[in-house]
Amino acid sequence: MIAIFKREMRSYFHNVIGFVFLALLLLAAGVFCAIFNVILGSADFADSLYYLQLALIILIPLLTMRSMTEERRAHTDQLLYSLPLPLWKIVLGKYLAMVAMLGIGCVVIALFPLILTLFGMDALGTAYATLFAFFLLGAALIAFCMFLSSLTENQLIAMILCVVGILVIFLLDTFVTIFISAGAVLSFIVLIVLTLLAALGVYGLTKNLYFSSLVAILGVLPQIVIFLIDSSLYDGMLYRAVSVLSLFYRYTVFGSGVFDLTTIIYDASFAALFIFMTWLVMDKRRRA
Amino acid sequence: MIEVKHLTKTYGNHHALKDISFKITNGKIYGLLGPNGAGKSTTMNIMTGCLAATAGTVKINGFDIYKDATEAKRLIGYLPEQPPLYEDMTPEEYLTFVAEAKGVDPERVARQVKEVMEQTSVTEMKDRLIRNLSKGCRQRVGIAQALLGSPEIIILDEPTVGLDPKQLVEIREMVRKLGKKHTVIISSHILAEVSEMCDELLVISGGELIAQGELSELEAMLGDTDTLHLVIRGDEAGVLEVLYGIVQKENCTLRSATKEGEVSVDVSIPRESDVRDRIFFAMADRRYAVLTMEIEHKSLENVFLALTDRTADSIEPEQPESEEEELET
């Protein structure tokens, strides 16, 4: 796994992509910091980081678009498959290299609050907690985009898929208020449809009818039982579900100065789920 | 030793491999021979764990390639048809990465990389980017990669495709050298190549293993007869009467003559007997002119064509890959 990690890191700096990613990340951080903390005089670095998350919509796809597609294009995936290494170590090695790239950017950004203390900023704790949440958000999105880019061998398609994917997650937050008024029946129907779509996705990845049927049954049956027992529980359920599952919404919690453990656990679970799904895709390709 | 049992691979309705079984014993060079799309790459990909079989098992020294993948893969060095090279690395960086990924002892990585580079004559280009190397050099880097980790078995999928004659000779020479230390399996659709390099052949066609054995054994499969092509000017009845006086009627096949007044016949004759003198003088006695008299010795090419022709009707492209070269026999 360390060998894969080292190769990926070397690849980022052999190609222009690693430098472009870091340059754009630091440029965006610098611009937002200059606007909010220097020009507008905000004493809270979290304000800059709040807007920096917008940059991730482009930066994360830029970082991940090559990770899997290039292996297939150059036929180096055959080398990876023939190595005496479990597939999960290969996926994890690649993932950790991308997270390390983001980490390098975050380490440099961590200097910004220190500089700002010279101008009178004193909320270092909030600043670093938010930066940590920003890193976690990025790490979760990297896993999500790594999975999307494993579905294709075309870098451009991977990039588009990832941008659209992150935008959907991001906009889900923006439109979350629409679901506040969603009644019990609408919430129930939408959640059932989403569960079935998830089961369909599992079938697409595994081609295992029994496993995906199990996911569908275990997902749908309890919901039907709950709905039949007390349908009022589904009042506003959609809004709550989207809020709970939202990556960006959770990120803002840190910005308000709360060190939220559930966010850490949620982001880590989100990343683990998509790392696992990337492994599934790679394993399935070998079985195709 | 590699033990392949009842290997089957299907892509939808297409059967790329149909119940293939064979054994590979240590210390020999094996040639996997077959026309394009016969199932060679599929077989090799399954044997190396790059592809899962629909049914059947592959065991490397007793380790199952799926269940005991790590142990089994340690015993194999594989060069796929397209060398799996990272073009943004130099050969030395690339080989160091592969050695580390194969779990070579960190203290031995540098030494082993140096050894395989010397073995494959890559040393002089070790600091150039792989993307700037010629096809032959890339192939050598690919072979060097397969040698890392000192595997017992080296599997090379069409290692000579697209090389110029000089590079061809170099790679063949290298394979022969490798055969002294490792068990080598190479695939090719070029008969001359495998017959020159390999101790034993496995002939695959239409996803089926149709023959396995040493060259002499395969040649023996054709029997010990040659074919005598004759073109004689004269009336057909008279010519055949003379001919049937020398050889048996059932060994003669009348072909359509190219010109009127000529008789064209193929005669099957035992290899050790030469009846050409007798036919010549007998025809001359009757004033029939022998225009053509040529013996066709059955060779390995005939073996290959005869074996693969049997299954040719069922041959379809094995995978969506570009195998464009014509069958060179």
Side-chain angles (χ1 to χ4, degrees):
Chain A
M1 190 169 80
I2 294 167
I4 302 283
F5 174 82
K6 276 163 64 182
R7 202 217 82 75
E8 290 292 311
M9 288 301 282
R10 187 183 284 131
S11 154
Y12 285 124
F13 292 107
H14 269 200
N15 292 298
V16 73
I17 212 129
F19 293 105
V20 170
F21 169 78
L22 286 175
L24 288 179
L25 177 66
L26 296 177
L27 177 73
V31 167
F32 287 128
C33 183
I35 292 173
F36 293 102
N37 298 113
V38 180
I39 299 171
L40 296 178
S42 165
D44 193 355
F45 186 60
D47 287 348
S48 306
L49 287 177
Y50 179 75
Y51 287 96
L52 190 58
Q53 63 176 333
L54 295 176
L56 293 182
I57 296 171
I58 297 295
L59 289 177
I60 299 294
L62 186 74
L63 188 66
T64 58
M65 67 179 185
R66 276 172 63 93
S67 64
M68 298 291 167
T69 54
E70 189 61 15
E71 300 280 3
R72 288 178 72 190
R73 191 199 61 77
H75 300 282
T76 42
D77 54 344
Q78 281 200 299
L79 171 73
L80 300 181
Y81 284 131
S82 68
L83 288 174
L85 269 178
L87 207 52
W88 66 266
K89 283 191 177 178
I90 294 168
V91 176
L92 202 60
K94 280 177 163 291
Y95 173 70
L96 290 178
M98 287 185 273
V99 171
M101 287 298 293
L102 178 69
I104 293 171
C106 286
V107 165
V108 180
I109 294 172
L111 299 175
F112 290 16
L114 287 179
I115 297 166
L116 289 174
T117 53
L118 300 175
F119 300 95
M121 194 192 85
D122 57 358
L124 273 183
T126 316
Y128 284 120
T130 316
L131 185 60
F132 179 61
F134 174 79
F135 173 72
L136 284 179
L137 172 70
L141 290 176
I142 286 172
F144 176 63
C145 290
M146 178 172 78
F147 163 70
L148 289 180
S149 81
S150 72
L151 299 174
T152 172
E153 59 183 306
N154 183 312
Q155 281 190 31
L156 189 67
I157 293 175
M159 176 87 183
I160 293 168
L161 268 179
C162 295
V163 170
V164 172
I166 298 183
L167 266 178
V168 168
I169 295 178
F170 185 74
L171 291 178
L172 209 57
D173 280 31
T174 315
F175 294 123
V176 72
T177 47
I178 294 172
F179 304 121
I180 290 176
S181 57
V185 176
L186 180 64
S187 293
F188 174 71
I189 292 171
V190 172
L191 287 172
I192 291 287
V193 169
L194 286 177
T195 312
L196 291 176
L197 281 177
L200 201 66
V202 170
Y203 178 72
L205 289 175
T206 60
K207 295 283 178 226
N208 187 328
L209 192 62
Y210 296 110
F211 183 60
S212 44
S213 303
L214 194 70
V215 170
I217 291 166
L218 289 180
V220 170
L221 264 186
Q223 292 197 59
I224 293 174
V225 172
I226 292 168
F227 186 75
L228 289 176
I229 292 170
D230 186 1
S231 64
S232 66
L233 281 173
Y234 268 86
D235 273 331
M237 179 67 105
L238 203 55
Y239 171 69
R240 273 177 283 149
V242 172
S243 303
V244 166
L245 294 175
S246 161
L247 279 175
F248 286 94
Y249 173 75
R250 292 185 159 275
Y251 169 61
T252 56
V253 175
F254 264 82
S256 57
V258 181
F259 196 89
D260 184 16
L261 192 64
T262 54
T263 300
I264 298 173
I265 294 169
Y266 179 70
D267 285 352
S269 314
F270 186 89
L273 172 72
F274 282 103
I275 292 169
F276 173 70
M277 283 173 56
T278 311
W279 173 82
L280 269 184
V281 171
M282 283 190 76
D283 191 55
K284 184 198 152 205
R285 189 158 294 133
R286 187 167 52 169
R287 293 171 191 281
Chain B
M1 189 179 82
I2 302 179
E3 206 176 352
V4 173
K5 276 188 185 169
H6 307 296
L7 215 56
T8 300
K9 179 73 187 174
T10 53
Y11 296 105
N13 295 325
H14 170 60
H15 291 268
L17 292 182
K18 300 170 191 164
D19 197 22
I20 284 186
S21 299
F22 58 86
K23 276 184 187 176
I24 300 275
T25 47
N26 288 355
K28 282 185 182 177
I29 303 179
Y30 286 83
L32 201 57
L33 183 67
N36 289 331
K40 304 184 295 292
S41 295
T42 306
T43 308
M44 289 189 151
N45 279 333
I46 293 174
M47 282 164 71
T48 52
C50 293
L51 196 66
T54 310
T57 56
V58 176
K59 284 190 175 171
I60 319 284
N61 282 6
F63 295 113
D64 189 284
I65 194 71
Y66 303 112
K67 290 175 189 155
D68 321 299
T70 309
E71 290 84 353
K73 285 177 184 176
R74 266 189 223 292
L75 299 167
I76 301 175
Y78 180 39
L79 171 69
E81 193 177 357
Q82 306 261 1
L85 306 172
Y86 292 104
E87 297 193 335
D88 55 355
M89 297 174 106
T90 65
E92 191 173 27
E93 286 172 345
Y94 171 72
L95 294 171
T96 304
F97 155 66
V98 177
E100 287 173 352
K102 282 188 175 182
V104 173
D105 184 357
E107 289 173 8
R108 296 194 60 236
V109 167
R111 204 175 74 204
Q112 204 171 105
V113 167
K114 192 165 173 261
E115 277 170 14
V116 297
M117 285 199 298
E118 279 166 9
Q119 226 173 324
T120 52
S121 312
V122 170
T123 312
E124 61 194 50
M125 65 197 80
K126 69 184 170 79
D127 297 322
R128 288 166 57 189
L129 280 180
I130 290 176
R131 74 161 67 97
N132 297 329
L133 298 181
S134 69
K135 189 161 170 53
C137 296
R138 284 163 175 243
Q139 204 71 312
R140 292 214 296 270
V141 177
I143 294 176
Q145 161 276 124
L147 297 178
L148 286 164
S150 313
E152 281 180 29
I153 302 149
I154 307 285
I155 299 181
L156 310 172
D157 192 358
E158 308 231 14
T160 55
V161 165
L163 301 184
D164 68 33
K166 187 170 173 285
Q167 294 167 333
L168 263 175
V169 172
E170 285 172 2
I171 297 287
R172 284 178 192 169
E173 193 57 38
M174 196 182 296
V175 170
R176 269 190 222 101
K177 279 185 192 165
L178 289 176
K180 290 173 186 163
K181 285 185 180 172
H182 308 264
T183 303
V184 182
I185 308 169
I186 67 160
S187 75
S188 178
H189 58 269
I190 305 167
L191 179 79
E193 187 171 272
V194 278
S195 59
E196 193 185 319
M197 282 189 281
C198 303
D199 304 312
E200 205 164 303
L201 294 183
L202 297 126
V203 186
I204 291 187
S205 184
E208 290 176 80
L209 181 69
I210 48 179
Q212 179 179 6
E214 292 179 10
L215 296 179
S216 53
E217 290 170 348
L218 294 187
E219 277 180 321
M221 288 172 72
L222 272 186
D224 52 1
T225 57
D226 290 333
T227 304
L228 183 65
H229 300 294
L230 289 170
V231 180
I232 295 159
R233 185 173 291 142
D235 65 287
E236 190 177 302
V239 167
L240 290 179
E241 186 194 332
V242 175
L243 200 58
Y244 293 158
I246 301 165
V247 293
Q248 290 188 328
K249 189 179 173 181
E250 55 267 27
N251 291 336
C252 301
T253 312
L254 195 64
R255 292 187 298 154
S256 56
T258 48
K259 284 183 186 170
E260 203 168 324
E262 290 179 7
V263 183
S264 182
V265 190
D266 282 350
V267 185
S268 185
I269 52 169
R271 188 163 292 166
E272 67 275 8
S273 73
D274 193 349
V275 291
R276 285 177 296 178
D277 291 16
R278 288 173 61 197
I279 292 173
F280 177 83
F281 288 119
M283 293 294 170
D285 286 347
R286 294 280 295 270
R287 307 288 295 168
Y288 296 136
V290 178
L291 303 176
T292 303
M293 184 147 60
E294 189 181 26
I295 283 192
E296 185 195 327
H297 293 291
K298 284 184 176 169
S299 65
L300 200 57
E301 285 173 16
N302 300 80
V303 179
F304 181 57
L305 288 173
L307 289 171
T308 53
D309 275 354
R310 280 186 216 160
T311 48
D313 293 342
S314 59
I315 295 173
E316 289 170 44
E318 66 181 280
Q319 276 181 51
E321 60 189 8
S322 56
E323 288 188 299
E324 287 165 1
E325 274 112 318
E326 291 296 311
L327 186 69
E328 296 172 42
T329 53

